[in-house]
Amino acid sequence: MRPSPSRDARRKLLSVAAISAALLAGMTTTVAAHPATENVQVTPAAQAAAAPAERLIVGYKSGAPEAKSNKAADADARAKGDKAGEDLDFQRRLGTGAALVDLGAELKKADVADVIAQYQADPQVAYVVPDRLNKPQADPNDTEYGKQWDLFESTAGMRVPGAWSTSTGSGVTVAVIDTGYVAHSDVAANIVGGYDFISDTAVSVDGDGRDSNPADPGDWYATDECGAGTGSSDSSWHGTHVAGTIAAVTNNNKGVAGIAYNAKISPLRVLGKCGGYDSDIIDAITWASGGSVSGVPANTNVAKVINMSLGGSGACTSATQSAINAAVNRGTTVVVAAGNDNDNASKYSPASCSNVITVAATGRTGSRASYSNYGSIVDIAAPGGEMSTGTANGILSTLNSGTKTPSSESYAYYQGTSMATPHIVGLVALMKSANLSLTPAQIESAIKTNARALPGTCSGGCGAGLADATKTVQAVASSGGTTFSNTTALSIPDAGSAVESSIAVSGRSGNAPSTLKVGVDITHSYRGDLVIDLVAPDGSTYRLKSSSTSDSADNVNTTYTVDASSEAANGTWKLRIQDVAAQDTGTLNSWKLTF
């Protein structure tokens, strides 16, 4: 090995992107575009752009002298360096038998390409790859993340970090039907328009009935104000705690990490002083999922999943069940808390409703939490905390320090099936973002199928086990090809002109496939009015859906297959939508192309 005493003094780390183009060309992965960065294609080279490297790993074929002899490998590195006009060094032999070759310093992209070409042209070289600098993946820099055992601990965490390399919830709106939302800087960027559905002013506390402001004024009550023996309570800021678990802003150097941290939260206020009425909750379920509610404007932030960390005694009523069924038929998954009475969940609503995912709570050891309801109607378990064994064994999330009215933002540990439910809701958002075409039934099935055995015990039944986010998301993620997405909402005018949403495709070679997948997510109150076309870069159109007076169902949430093999893949593709009849309106929530 040639000594190079000045090498370290003049070393400059090389970007892996500078050496990966020739090595990784044509290998692509999938990204769902965030509205701010939509239509971005990610390749391994681009992913590694920020990871510095200064060496190559060279694998020689078994019969080559360089495969066994360090001296031969060093001589080969020097010879190839001389041909490329660079100063290369053999560093050491790896455990696999490959040679580690130092690239020297001050190499430019063209210089690196010359070195790679020398190795690739050698018939004795099996492979040459960059020696990439790796860093811990998916561990966010949020200051309180280390306290979120429920996300990452091996014993009873939900294995969330491993799912983040596949999905972060981009393009999915979650409705949190709860106490509303009190402003918190660790969630604010992910809050979209919601609604206050509380019609009774004695419950609403905010001085009025229903309106478009879902702000939580506090739900405190004085001694026995909610009935004899109920005692008193400070304000809970319950909806804000739930929202933080689902979608707290992540990698912002503060607070906690959300499970689906690129999802959006639509807060719907139904709980106030002493609770909330079924009638308001039913309307919130309807509106959240894209249905119409008299006197309430159309929802422009239709949710793909609803969180209901609430409940009361008694079996599910026909009225509530009807609202849930309609929401699921519109394509919205409904997730509910099993309840906190250490009792059979069949005695409580909405836990006992059909067409929902009912969630029991586990503690930090993986056993059913002492308070959690149980039974055959429970579908799945998730971390809910068990603070009797220590405050830090609860679920940490966003809150407010006010005892009655809002004060300063804060963080606090809570426990309950109310805390377990948003874990599953966050998981659903990750799944839906990874695979737009999933139905509520497919989502529930996948969560159960990919659950792991409960690490502890559960007397009475905790469903399929403890949810496993990594395994579940990987199982449902769209496989094969590259996906380009547009998640910017677009209004579809009633009986109006056609509107178009664009996706710019680049980095592909040749023509589009004969099985081009076009995923479409549209909220519409009468989909028979809609005509949908895919427009290729050259202006050619492909009819995806025609109008039909006999198709009175809501929404379009499906994936079409198009033979686009005659079209160049690269260019601007458009989805063209027209409402051709009066009285119904809608919104294109997102769409994607998978090549």
Side-chain angles (χ1 to χ4, degrees):
M1 184 185 303
R2 289 172 293 170
S4 183
S6 63
R7 181 185 297 276
D8 290 339
R10 59 190 178 89
R11 179 174 305 289
K12 180 175 71 174
L13 290 178
L14 302 173
S15 167
V16 170
I19 62 178
S20 58
L23 302 171
L24 301 172
M27 297 170 57
T28 57
T29 189
T30 299
V31 61
H34 186 278
T37 57
E38 64 192 33
N39 308 332
V40 176
Q41 182 187 30
V42 175
T43 66
Q47 288 175 320
E54 55 195 33
R55 292 174 288 267
L56 295 176
I57 299 173
V58 181
Y60 291 95
K61 295 179 180 178
S62 59
E66 296 86 356
K68 302 294 183 182
S69 167
N70 290 352
K71 183 176 180 180
D74 181 41
D76 188 48
R78 283 191 284 172
K80 286 181 169 56
D82 289 343
K83 288 182 179 180
E86 305 299 338
D87 185 21
L88 304 187
D89 265 342
F90 168 79
Q91 292 289 294
R92 60 184 171 86
R93 183 77 57 180
L94 304 189
T96 60
L100 184 63
V101 176
D102 191 289
L103 287 170
E106 306 298 335
L107 269 71
K108 297 179 181 179
K109 183 175 180 179
D111 301 329
V112 174
D114 288 343
V115 171
I116 291 170
Q118 292 295 326
Y119 276 106
Q120 289 180 326
D122 187 341
Q124 297 300 316
V125 172
Y127 61 83
V128 54
V129 297
D131 183 21
R132 296 178 297 189
L133 180 65
N134 293 272
K135 297 181 179 180
Q137 295 298 304
D139 281 348
N141 60 23
D142 303 73
T143 54
E144 303 301 310
Y145 175 70
K147 300 175 182 177
Q148 292 182 273
W149 63 267
D150 46 307
L151 303 192
F152 61 80
E153 277 193 355
S154 59
T155 299
M158 210 173 74
R159 296 180 176 172
V160 174
W164 285 333
S165 60
T166 302
S167 174
T168 58
S170 178
V172 177
T173 297
V174 176
V176 174
I177 298 179
D178 212 292
T179 64
Y181 163 74
V182 61
H184 199 294
S185 63
D186 207 10
V187 188
N190 285 335
I191 297 293
V192 296
Y195 209 81
D196 181 356
F197 278 93
I198 302 178
S199 51
D200 188 324
T201 55
V203 176
S204 70
V205 188
D206 61 1
D208 56 29
R210 292 183 170 181
D211 57 40
S212 60
N213 182 10
D216 185 351
D219 58 355
W220 68 275
Y221 53 87
T223 302
D224 292 350
E225 187 177 5
C226 296
T230 58
S232 62
S233 176
D234 291 339
S235 290
S236 68
W237 318 114
H238 190 272
T240 301
H241 197 279
V242 168
T245 297
I246 298 168
V249 177
T250 301
N251 285 314
N252 61 341
N253 282 298
K254 69 178 296 184
V256 295
I259 292 171
Y261 57 79
N262 277 331
K264 300 301 181 184
I265 298 289
S266 174
L268 306 186
R269 187 169 181 251
V270 298
L271 302 178
K273 179 169 286 194
C274 304
Y277 289 102
D278 277 356
S279 54
D280 292 339
I281 294 169
I282 287 168
D283 279 351
I285 294 170
T286 303
W287 190 80
S289 58
S292 299
V293 176
S294 178
V296 180
N299 185 4
T300 58
N301 297 297
V302 175
K304 289 299 145 193
V305 54
I306 289 172
N307 188 111
M308 287 201 289
S309 292
L310 49 79
S313 60
C316 184
T317 67
S318 297
T320 299
Q321 188 65 67
S322 177
I324 289 170
N325 288 347
V328 171
N329 287 339
R330 296 184 194 103
T332 299
T333 300
V334 181
V335 186
V336 304
N340 302 326
D341 300 279
N342 188 27
D343 198 0
N344 196 303
S346 64
K347 301 177 184 179
Y348 301 86
S349 179
S352 61
C353 294
S354 302
N355 258 350
V356 299
I357 300 175
T358 301
V359 186
T362 55
R364 197 165 183 173
T365 63
S367 293
R368 176 174 68 88
S370 59
Y371 54 80
S372 176
N373 285 355
Y374 50 81
S376 60
I377 65 165
V378 171
D379 294 299
I380 196 72
E386 183 75 84
M387 293 170 64
S388 64
T389 60
T391 300
N393 293 334
I395 305 301
L396 184 66
S397 189
T398 47
L399 212 70
N400 191 278
S401 65
T403 57
K404 290 183 170 60
T405 58
S407 182
S408 58
E409 63 180 44
S410 64
Y411 300 86
Y413 290 96
Y414 273 8
Q415 67 174 22
T417 55
S418 284
M419 283 60 256
T421 302
H423 282 76
I424 299 300
V425 168
L427 172 54
V428 174
L430 294 177
M431 296 167 68
K432 194 70 177 176
S433 179
N435 189 336
L436 182 66
S437 65
L438 289 173
T439 67
Q442 290 170 331
I443 286 171
E444 179 177 347
S445 176
I447 290 174
K448 292 178 177 180
T449 300
N450 293 286
R452 59 187 173 115
L454 212 64
T457 61
C458 176
S459 56
C462 287
L466 182 62
D468 187 321
T470 296
K471 186 177 178 183
T472 305
V473 172
Q474 289 175 349
V476 303
S478 298
S479 59
T482 302
T483 295
F484 299 83
S485 304
N486 188 331
T487 59
T488 301
L490 177 67
S491 295
I492 304 169
D494 184 31
S497 301
V499 293
E500 294 181 341
S501 176
S502 300
I503 290 177
V505 175
S506 61
R508 305 299 298 171
S509 60
N511 286 358
S514 59
T515 57
L516 178 65
K517 304 296 184 183
V518 186
V520 179
D521 180 4
I522 295 174
T523 301
H524 198 278
S525 50
Y526 193 99
R527 69 186 183 201
D529 291 355
L530 296 179
V531 176
I532 307 174
D533 292 304
L534 176 68
V535 184
D538 67 355
S540 300
T541 59
Y542 297 83
R543 179 59 49 91
L544 303 180
K545 180 189 175 301
S546 299
S547 61
S548 172
T549 56
S550 62
D551 186 4
S552 60
D554 297 335
N555 309 331
V556 178
N557 187 4
T558 190
T559 299
Y560 300 96
T561 301
V562 175
D563 182 355
S565 56
S566 64
E567 306 291 343
N570 290 335
T572 300
W573 295 76
K574 298 177 182 179
L575 191 71
R576 179 181 295 160
I577 309 165
Q578 185 172 14
D579 184 324
V580 297
Q583 299 182 348
D584 295 276
T585 59
T587 303
L588 170 64
N589 301 307
S590 63
W591 72 289
K592 64 181 181 180
L593 295 170
T594 301
F595 288 81

